[in-house]
């Protein structure tokens, strides 16, 4: 069936056209609204972003590293400050022309900066291993002539970045290394974590260790910016006002810089540490660990050669021995043990007859004085450091009566200080042993602990706090930052009469014929109260005892006894307390032993000229001052080795001294030595039987 054709009238045509025109107009209007809306969005909402993009196309901005805040001592003397420095870096990503272009730039820099072949080898190795955006130092601390010579030839030296900035400086050098730490270039890993452009700015350095790392966010400051107007092709049009940097916050410490430097020098060639505390407030006046590294060298970027030299040193200069070293305290705990005995009901006049030995079962525990001391009360037992007195008295009351007071005097305690690496040691008791070893406490354990051996381990800071609390009678907390001082620490819950008895005994150690006579001070009106200590690190077998016990001078360094010393002064009104711990010192050299070192450090606080004169008499016999000895050691190390080219390359990984493998190895070895001296041991071969090797120091 055929469909009839549709008739199209003039009216229907007009209607169809009008509808299409309306739809088309509505679409055009919609597009117009969208365009207007988009234009409005771009002009209003996105105005700031596009203005910034336009500005960045017009203006090139280079960040200026901020000046770090200073670290100053209690008197305002600089411990870490800044000095103007000219340096030249290479940014690997900005080098042009491949290997040929890189070598052309390096040859030009070699001439302009008068670099040695060793310098060039280091730069090439550093470029090979650096991340593309990571600046590679070519030369630092340049004179103006060489810096200007590079600056005027920059158009011919793509990738070269000369910078005038502020370099970190440590005026006291190695004396403050473990206190301040150092600054160094950020690692590639640190940039990937934060994408902070400041981290790849030539010349910028951040805190790597010590206080520099702990206080990084406050010391860093806010970067400035150098701004220049350029064309689309990068041609300079005009220099714009520079945005200044905002320096970091300065930090004042409780440290006395003069005392810090003196204590470091007075430790001489020892591997050891010294801590000085204000007995009124707990302020740390000195915190020294020696030997140490030079933080100025580390901040400039040390070589693998220097790192290997420090890592291989058996005195472990990379370790902060004040907070990371753990040692048996030896006889330095006897005054503290005396306080605990008095609190447990032992009378100050109660006597024990020392015949030189004490039998326990089948074992014999000796005193360090083989012939014995005869009848002794508490005061004389502390003065003469009699082992038999403390064996017998602590056997009677039990070591569980001693441990709580030891903890109240700071042993085994964790202190809030701005250091990431601290080891806290052990104050043992029966509950501790049962939990750790699943065995009961024995009488022999108590005898070991009574003379500061066996399971007892402390760090030098804890010993200094113990001495300060003995002297002050207050719960002092150590502080390093001057804005955190507690001027009113609470008193210890201990009888003043008991304190008086122990302080009198410590005075006698030095001034009444005790074991520390060599520490007697020569400052009029000032006397020192102290306690000497010796801690063994090896067992002495009965076979060796029968054939003759080897003296420390005949033993390898690592097998010698530790030497310890705690003190406070003036004895009648304590103002300062100190602790000196010397690793494997063995009491082998008189002017390098703890009593004379402790005496001179405390003398500095009362009579500086006398202390400096005393040091001047002996320091030349040790090979000179610290920088002289370090330079001689470095020269000897280089001369003894046929070094590969890579040895001169800059060490730029994330490993820092406090976390170094050498430090971990040293602490592991010390832990193993301590473990061999724990517990009862074989019959007739206990550490308590060996006693101490203390002799009378006069």
């Amino acid at each position: 069936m055929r469909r009839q054709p549709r008739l199209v009238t003039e009216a229907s045509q007009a209607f169809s056209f009008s509808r299409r025109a309306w739809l088309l107009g509505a679409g055009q209007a919609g597009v117009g609204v969208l365009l207007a809306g988009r234009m409005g969005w771009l002009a209003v909402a996105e105005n700031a972003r596009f203005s910034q993009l336009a500005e960045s196309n017009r203006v090139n901005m280079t960040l200026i590293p901020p000046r770090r805040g200073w670290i100053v001592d209690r008197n305002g003397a600089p411990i870490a400050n800044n000095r103007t420095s000219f340096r030249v870096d290479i940014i690997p990503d900005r080098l042009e022309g491949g290997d040929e272009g890189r070598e052309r730039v390096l040859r030009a820099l070699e001439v302009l900066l008068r670099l040695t072949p060793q310098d060039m080898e280091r730069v090439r190795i550093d470029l090979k291993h650096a991340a593309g955006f990571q600046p590679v130092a070519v030369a630092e601390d340049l004179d103006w002539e060489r810096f200007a010579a590079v600056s005027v030839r920059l158009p011919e030296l793509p990738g070269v970045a000369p910078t005038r900035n502020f370099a970190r400086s440590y005026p006291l050098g190695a004396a403050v290394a473990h206190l301040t730490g150092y600054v160094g270039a950020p690692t590639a890993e640190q940039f990937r974590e934060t994408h902070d452009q400041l981290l790849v700015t030539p010349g910028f350095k951040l805190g790597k260790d010590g206080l520099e790392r702990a206080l990084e966010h406050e010391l860093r400051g806010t970067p400035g910016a150098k701004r220049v107007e350029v064309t689309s092709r990068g041609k300079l049009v005009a220099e714009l006002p520079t945005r200044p940097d905002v320096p970091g916050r300065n930090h004042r410490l409780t440290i006395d810089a003069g005392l810090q430097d003196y204590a470091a020098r007075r430790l001489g060639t020892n591997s050891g540490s010294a801590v000085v505390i204000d007995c009124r407030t707990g302020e740390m006046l000195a915190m020294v660990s020696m030997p140490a590294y030079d933080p100025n060298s580390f901040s400039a970027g040390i070589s693998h050669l220097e790192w290997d030299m420090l890592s291989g040193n058996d005195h472990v200069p990379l370790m902060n021995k004040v907070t990371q070293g753990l040692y048996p305290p030896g006889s330095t705990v006897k005054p503290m043990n005396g306080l605990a005995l008095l609190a447990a009901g032992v009378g100050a006049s109660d006597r024990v007859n020392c015949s030189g030995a004490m039998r326990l079962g089948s074992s014999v525990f000796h005193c360090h004085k083989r012939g014995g001391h005869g009848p002794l009360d508490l005061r004389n037992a502390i003065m003469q450091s009699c082992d038999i007195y403390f064996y017998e008295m602590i056997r009677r009351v039990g070591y569980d009566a001693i441990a709580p007071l030891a903890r109240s005097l700071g042993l085994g305690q964790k202190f809030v200080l701005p250091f990431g690496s601290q080891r806290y040691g052990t104050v043992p008791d029966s509950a501790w042993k049962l939990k750790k070893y699943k065995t009961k406490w024995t009488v022999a354990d108590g005898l070991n602990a009574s003379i500061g051996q066996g399971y007892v381990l402390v760090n030098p800071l804890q010993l200094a706090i113990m001495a300060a609390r003995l002297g002050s009678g207050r719960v002092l907390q150590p502080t390093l930052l001057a804005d955190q001082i507690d001027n009113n620490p609470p008193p210890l819950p201990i009888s003043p009469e008991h304190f008086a008895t122990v302080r009198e005994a410590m005075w006698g150690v030095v001034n009444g014929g005790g074991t520390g006579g060599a520490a007697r001070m020569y400052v009029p009106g000032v006397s020192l109260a102290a306690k000497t200590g010796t801690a063994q690190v090896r067992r002495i077998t009965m076979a060796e005892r029968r054939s003759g016990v080897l003296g420390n001078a005949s033993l390898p360094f690592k097998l010698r006894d530790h030497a310890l010393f705690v003190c406070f002064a003036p004895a009648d009104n304590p103002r300062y307390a100190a602790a000196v711990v010397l690793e494997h010192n063995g009491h082998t050299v008189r002017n390098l032993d703890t009593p004379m070192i402790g005496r001179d450090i405390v003398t500095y606080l009362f009579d500086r000229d006398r202390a400096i004169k005393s040091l001047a008499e002996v320091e030349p016999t040790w090979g000179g001052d610290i920088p002289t000895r370090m330079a001689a050691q470095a020269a000897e190390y280089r001369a003894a080795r046929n070094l590969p080219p890579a040895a001169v390359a800059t060490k730029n990984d994330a490993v820092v001294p406090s976390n170094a493998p050498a430090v971990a190895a040293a602490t592991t070895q010390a832990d193993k030595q301590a473990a061999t001296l724990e517990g009862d041991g074989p019959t007739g071969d206990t550490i308590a039987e060996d006693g101490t090797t203390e002799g009378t120091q006069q």
Side-chain angles (χ1 to χ4, degrees):
M1 182 176 175
R2 193 172 178 187
R3 180 179 293 180
Q4 292 291 328
R6 183 181 177 187
L7 296 176
V8 179
T9 64
E10 185 176 348
S12 65
Q13 282 185 326
F15 175 76
S16 177
F17 177 79
S18 298
R19 185 176 62 179
R20 291 174 182 174
W22 183 87
L23 290 172
L24 181 61
Q28 290 175 331
V31 172
V33 169
L34 289 174
L35 291 174
R38 179 62 177 168
M39 291 176 64
W41 172 262
L42 294 174
V44 179
E46 294 284 280
N47 179 65
R49 186 169 75 88
F50 283 103
S51 295
Q52 186 176 5
L53 289 173
E55 182 71 4
S56 66
N57 288 332
R58 184 181 72 89
V59 177
N60 277 352
M61 185 172 69
T62 303
L63 290 178
I64 300 174
R67 289 161 289 176
R68 287 182 75 82
W70 285 25
I71 300 175
V72 300
D73 83 339
R74 62 190 302 107
N75 302 310
I79 292 178
N81 59 6
N82 306 312
R83 56 180 173 76
T84 303
S85 172
F86 298 106
R87 61 178 287 144
V88 172
D89 295 300
I90 291 178
I91 313 298
D93 276 351
R94 299 179 187 174
L95 288 170
E96 299 175 358
D99 292 344
E100 183 179 342
R102 181 191 63 198
E103 286 302 314
R104 181 179 58 79
V105 169
L106 290 177
R107 286 194 297 270
L109 291 176
E110 182 178 11
V111 174
L112 293 172
L113 298 176
R114 301 192 288 276
L115 300 176
T116 66
Q118 188 180 49
D119 292 331
M120 297 304 299
E121 185 68 27
R122 176 191 60 79
V123 173
R124 288 187 173 93
I125 294 173
D126 288 354
L127 280 172
K128 181 179 179 181
H129 294 98
F133 51 78
Q134 188 176 24
V136 171
V138 178
E140 297 187 83
D141 292 330
L142 293 169
D143 55 64
W144 171 252
E145 179 185 356
R146 287 186 290 170
F147 180 78
V150 172
S151 298
V152 298
R153 295 189 60 181
L154 278 183
E156 309 167 27
L157 301 171
V160 175
T163 309
R164 178 176 180 266
N165 60 8
F166 293 92
R168 201 59 159 170
S169 175
Y170 305 92
L172 299 182
V176 297
H178 293 293
L179 172 67
T180 61
Y182 65 100
V183 297
T187 63
E189 290 74 18
Q190 288 172 315
F191 175 71
R192 294 188 188 101
E193 289 175 4
T194 64
H195 295 287
D196 183 349
Q197 293 301 311
L198 180 61
L199 300 189
V200 293
T201 301
F204 173 72
K205 294 181 178 179
L206 47 72
K208 292 284 189 174
D209 211 356
L211 290 175
E212 291 279 25
R213 180 178 181 180
L215 304 175
E216 169 63 26
H217 293 295
E218 298 174 38
L219 291 171
R220 179 184 296 189
T222 304
K226 180 180 179 181
R227 302 166 66 243
V228 293
E229 185 176 359
V230 295
T231 65
S232 60
R233 295 182 179 272
K235 184 179 179 180
L236 177 67
V237 175
E239 291 191 4
L240 302 177
T242 297
R243 186 182 75 197
D245 65 298
V246 178
R249 175 189 165 194
N250 295 340
H251 273 279
R252 184 183 295 270
L253 305 183
T254 61
I255 295 292
D256 181 323
L259 177 65
Q260 179 82 11
D261 184 57
Y262 182 85
R265 292 172 61 189
R266 188 59 187 86
L267 287 175
T269 57
N270 281 298
S271 173
S273 57
V275 181
V276 183
I277 303 284
D278 189 313
C279 285
R280 301 168 303 173
T281 60
E283 296 169 73
M284 297 177 66
L285 304 179
M287 191 201 85
V288 178
S289 175
M290 295 300 291
Y293 57 88
D294 184 354
N296 293 296
S297 177
F298 267 60
S299 293
I302 69 162
S303 65
H304 288 282
L305 165 69
E306 187 171 356
W307 179 263
D308 292 343
M309 179 182 69
L310 293 169
S311 297
N313 190 323
D314 63 0
H315 284 32
V316 202
L318 296 175
M319 175 190 283
N320 181 356
K321 299 176 179 69
V322 173
T323 58
Q324 292 181 284
L326 289 181
Y327 312 92
S331 295
T332 60
V333 297
K334 287 175 180 175
M336 176 199 71
N337 290 348
L339 272 183
L341 289 173
L342 292 171
V346 174
S349 59
D350 292 354
R351 292 175 178 266
V352 169
N353 182 57
C354 173
S355 62
M358 171 184 169
R359 181 171 294 278
L360 179 67
S362 60
S363 297
V364 178
F365 295 80
H366 294 280
C367 186
H368 68 87
K369 186 175 182 181
R370 292 305 185 189
H373 292 98
L376 291 175
D377 59 11
L378 175 60
R379 177 178 177 274
N380 283 285
I382 293 174
M383 287 173 52
Q384 302 303 325
S385 199
C386 176
D387 297 325
I388 299 299
Y389 177 92
F390 288 96
Y391 292 157
E392 177 58 30
M393 287 301 188
I394 291 178
R395 184 187 66 80
R396 294 180 190 178
V397 304
Y399 195 77
D400 281 0
I402 308 297
L405 190 135
R407 298 185 186 108
S408 71
L409 289 186
L411 302 191
Q413 187 173 346
K414 177 180 179 180
F415 300 111
V416 180
L417 291 173
F419 295 105
S421 299
Q422 292 187 60
R423 303 177 76 210
Y424 310 112
T426 303
V427 176
D429 57 21
S430 57
W432 171 87
K433 185 180 180 184
L434 187 62
K435 180 179 179 181
K436 182 170 183 177
Y437 293 107
K438 305 297 188 281
T439 58
K440 292 183 178 181
W441 187 266
T442 67
V443 174
D445 291 333
L447 300 189
N448 289 339
S450 73
I451 60 168
Q453 297 270 190
Y455 295 116
V456 185
L457 290 173
V458 300
N459 66 37
L461 174 60
Q462 293 167 345
L463 285 178
I465 290 298
M466 179 187 74
R469 291 181 181 180
L470 282 170
S472 68
R474 293 185 173 273
V475 188
L476 299 171
Q477 297 294 334
T479 54
L480 267 175
L481 303 179
D483 57 1
Q484 296 179 1
I485 298 171
D486 181 0
N487 289 303
N488 190 29
L492 284 159
I494 297 173
S495 165
E497 290 77 15
H498 294 172
F499 269 126
T501 299
V502 169
R503 290 169 187 158
E504 182 183 0
M506 293 179 71
W507 177 89
V509 168
V510 177
N511 307 284
T515 58
R520 188 176 294 113
M521 291 181 65
Y522 298 100
V523 178
V526 179
S527 59
L528 190 71
K531 185 66 191 79
T532 57
T534 304
Q536 292 178 225
V537 298
R538 70 185 186 103
R539 286 190 179 277
I540 301 174
T541 65
M542 294 303 294
E544 182 181 343
R545 190 181 299 281
R546 285 191 295 268
S547 62
V549 177
L550 293 174
N552 280 290
S554 303
L555 293 171
F557 172 71
K558 287 291 186 180
L559 295 181
R560 296 175 186 171
D561 301 328
H562 298 318
L564 306 97
F565 187 79
V566 297
C567 63
F568 54 79
D572 55 351
N573 184 24
R575 173 70 188 278
Y576 305 110
V580 178
V581 178
L582 306 180
E583 293 182 336
H584 310 294
N585 169 272
H587 307 296
T588 52
V589 180
R590 183 177 172 81
N591 64 28
L592 285 172
D593 203 357
T594 51
M596 295 185 74
I597 292 175
R599 177 201 68 186
D600 286 352
I601 289 175
V602 175
T603 297
Y604 181 94
L605 293 162
F606 295 98
D607 189 338
R608 185 171 303 184
D609 292 339
R610 183 186 296 272
I612 292 174
K613 180 181 178 181
S614 176
L615 176 61
E617 292 173 353
V618 294
E619 193 171 44
T621 67
W622 306 330
D625 60 12
I626 296 170
T628 301
R629 297 199 306 270
M630 291 178 69
Q633 290 170 359
E636 182 180 353
Y637 185 86
R638 290 188 180 92
R641 286 161 177 80
N642 183 19
L643 300 170
V648 300
T650 303
K651 176 188 173 296
N652 54 18
D653 57 41
V655 179
V656 298
S658 60
N659 298 327
V663 174
T667 56
T668 299
Q669 178 62 28
D671 290 344
K672 288 180 179 178
Q673 283 185 330
T676 65
L677 304 178
E678 290 178 350
D680 297 347
T683 300
D685 183 25
T686 65
I687 187 64
E689 179 187 350
D690 300 330
T692 70
T693 56
E694 273 181 18
T696 302
Q697 304 268 0
Q698 297 294 346

